[in-house]
Amino acid sequence: MAAEDPVEHEVTCPHCKKTFRADLIAGGAERYRGFKCPHCKLFVPLHRAADRDLLEPLSRDTDAVD
């Protein structure tokens, strides 16, 4: 995986169970890559979010029209 991931993700926090949108926080090591829950401030590592199916990439297509 690249060090920077420009795709926004929809993440469900395993602690407070709230859903939020966030960009991937790139860390120096794999265990430091993840997301920070804005509700309870828990750090959700990328590999754990992916393993538990708590992660969904969102499209950043700005040209899309409803």
Side-chain angles (χ1 to χ4, degrees):
M1 177 174 269
E4 293 185 23
D5 187 356
V7 177
E8 187 175 50
H9 294 83
E10 186 168 301
V11 183
T12 302
C13 178
H15 178 253
C16 69
K17 309 296 188 227
K18 293 183 181 178
T19 301
F20 61 95
R21 290 182 177 195
D23 289 326
L24 178 66
I25 299 170
E30 185 70 28
R31 67 182 179 164
Y32 298 126
R33 294 185 190 125
F35 308 93
K36 185 83 167 190
C37 177
H39 307 288
C40 70
K41 309 300 184 206
L42 179 79
F43 178 75
V44 182
L46 176 63
H47 68 280
R48 288 193 182 165
D51 289 349
R52 293 183 180 182
D53 199 27
L54 301 173
L55 182 65
E56 183 175 323
L58 297 174
S59 173
R60 284 208 173 163
D61 185 9
T62 58
D63 296 329
V65 178
D66 289 340

